[in-house]
Amino acid sequence: MSDMLEIRDLTRRFGGGRTIFGTTKPQLTAVRGVSLDLKRGETLGIVGESGCGKSTLARMLVGLDRPSEGAIRLDGKDLTEGGAKALAARVQYVFQDPVSSLNPRHTIRQILEAPMKHLLRLNGSERKKRLADLCEAVNLNPDFLVRYPHEFSGGQAQRIGIARALAAEPDVVVLDEPVSALDVSVQAQVLNLLDRLKRERDLTYVFISHDLAVIESVATRVAVMYFGRVVETAPSRKLFAAPLHPYTDLLLNSAPVPGKQRLRAGGDTGELPDPYNPPSGCAFAERCPRVEEDCRRIDPPLEAKARGDDHRAACLHPLPAD
Ligand SMILES: Nc1ncnc2c1ncn2[C@@H]1O[C@H](COP(=O)(O)OP(=O)(O)O)[C@@H](O)[C@H]1O
Ligand code: SF4
Ligand SMILES: [Mg+2]
């Protein structure tokens, strides 16, 4: 599989600079030096507890936000530079909250036609054909095209959100907590739909969730985020069988049995560091059962740890490879 999306040293800071009174505004770094490769046809799962920078990363990938530093390349072309608009259609976004992500004053037809008009420049008859195709793809009754978003349930609205993302004929879909706001019974339906669409349309997914059980069920490869960084990345099976990073281990051990109580990543195991006062060494040191003195000085880079080049962790004292 070739790399289609290359993410290099991506950093996003918020705040900073000076106020009109000359005082310094506080600054936080939501995403710090993230490098990832997305391979054509895979589902890259990104997991981590709330506030670790998942949505900030996602928004940069789809061009809704610009990185402070770093590059995003799609098939070798830089998306963070000018002229990226033509490529923008190729990476689409599905939001967490399905109903509020749809314009309440537009009908479903208007919502689905907008990307066809503005990104693909399709004419009336082409749009009609594509609308019919989309309705069929997401099991939406075409009679509902004249309705407004508030008339739909969460699951139906998320199917419309997915149809809107597909309307632009993307290669990559970034799904930011696409089922987190839905009832458990509806989650499985939407996950099945996403799986079928991926196969039928040769899509590549970046699937973001705080829920490790969801990630395990969908991802071919996983990146675990902690405090703005990727701290472990590996093929899904490797990561779930034997994690290297103590944070991943903690997430796995706090995960309930599938089908039982839902996972809250991180559980009651502690809190993220203060983003306005980041620690100098490893950001996980305060919570880490394997912490040693050097962890408070050195911020470990993401690197391979004797389990093959495809299994990397940012840790000075990773779990043993028994
Ligand atoms: N527009 C913004 N301005 C200031 N801080 C932000 C902004 N967006 C996100 N953040 C901060 O960045 C960090 C990461 O947030 P986010 O990317 O939403 O995390 P996640 O999606 O993993 O919950 C949080 O500390 C959040 O408060
Ligand atoms: S570097 Fe040290 S504190 Fe950080 S995760 Fe590894 S063992 Fe724990
Ligand atoms: Mg988020």
Side-chain angles (χ1 to χ4, degrees):
M1 280 195 291
S2 57
D3 291 344
M4 71 186 311
L5 202 63
E6 298 165 70
I7 303 163
R8 288 289 169 275
D9 302 316
L10 217 56
T11 291
R12 180 65 168 103
R13 286 181 287 270
F14 292 110
R18 290 191 174 270
T19 67
I20 51 169
F21 304 109
T23 52
T24 328
K25 286 191 223 162
Q27 185 179 74
L28 70 82
T29 309
V31 169
R32 31 185 97 228
V34 166
S35 294
L36 283 170
D37 292 308
L38 186 67
K39 297 178 202 318
R40 196 174 297 279
E42 76 173 339
T43 297
L44 175 66
I46 298 183
V47 67
E49 66 207 296
S50 180
C52 71
K54 303 183 297 298
S55 294
T56 304
L57 176 62
R59 292 171 58 79
M60 291 190 285
L61 294 185
V62 295
L64 288 172
D65 191 12
R66 288 175 72 87
S68 310
E69 282 165 36
I72 303 166
R73 288 189 285 271
L74 184 65
D75 290 333
K77 296 192 192 73
D78 199 330
L79 284 185
T80 52
E81 284 174 3
K85 209 170 174 200
L87 290 171
R90 297 188 47 202
V91 187
Q92 289 288 307
Y93 196 29
V94 173
F95 297 85
Q96 170 167 5
D97 188 343
V99 178
S100 73
S101 72
L102 303 172
N103 188 328
R105 287 183 294 278
H106 286 179
T107 63
I108 305 309
R109 178 191 301 279
Q110 288 172 311
I111 289 169
L112 295 181
E113 279 194 326
M116 300 182 203
K117 283 184 189 165
H118 304 302
L119 293 171
L120 301 181
R121 314 238 169 253
L122 300 186
N123 65 32
S125 69
E126 290 166 332
R127 293 202 300 271
K128 199 172 161 200
K129 203 161 149 244
R130 192 142 179 83
L131 266 179
D133 163 57
L134 287 174
C135 286
E136 199 188 322
V138 303
N139 307 321
L140 181 73
N141 183 340
D143 295 343
F144 291 175
L145 288 171
V146 295
R147 297 195 183 178
Y148 290 86
H150 71 264
E151 300 178 60
F152 294 91
S153 69
Q156 287 173 322
Q158 195 56 301
R159 294 213 307 271
I160 295 163
I162 292 165
R164 176 180 58 182
L166 296 182
E169 294 185 59
D171 297 309
V172 180
V173 184
V174 177
L175 303 139
D176 189 359
E177 308 258 15
V179 298
S180 302
L182 305 178
D183 291 341
V184 177
S185 59
V186 182
Q187 285 190 3
Q189 290 170 19
V190 173
L191 291 176
N192 285 337
L193 172 68
L194 287 170
D195 184 50
R196 174 168 62 75
L197 292 171
K198 179 171 183 274
R199 282 183 279 111
E200 288 174 357
R201 290 166 192 248
D202 291 326
L203 297 167
T204 303
Y205 285 164
V206 177
F207 194 113
I208 295 172
S209 179
H210 67 281
D211 191 330
L212 209 59
V214 168
I215 290 293
E216 186 171 16
S217 73
V218 299
T220 43
R221 211 154 52 89
V222 179
V224 179
M225 283 186 76
Y226 187 78
F227 198 58
R229 273 197 194 290
V230 173
V231 295
E232 180 160 5
T233 175
S236 196
R237 231 168 270 150
K238 273 186 156 184
L239 185 125
F240 284 99
L244 283 168
H245 198 283
Y247 176 59
T248 313
D249 190 47
L250 181 146
L251 285 181
L252 285 172
N253 285 324
S254 61
V257 183
K260 293 267 174 68
Q261 177 205 350
R262 293 194 55 218
L263 169 73
R264 201 164 66 86
D268 51 351
T269 48
E271 291 193 346
L272 290 169
D274 177 2
Y276 292 102
N277 288 300
S280 51
C282 173
F284 191 57
E286 280 307 312
R287 294 166 68 175
C288 184
R290 301 178 64 81
V291 63
E292 290 186 30
E293 182 272 328
D294 53 352
C295 304
R296 312 234 181 229
R297 282 185 289 112
I298 302 163
D299 194 3
L302 184 68
E303 57 192 14
K305 304 275 178 195
R307 298 220 198 135
D309 198 46
D310 59 356
H311 194 166
R312 295 166 185 237
C315 176
L316 299 173
H317 311 287
L319 278 85
D322 49 37

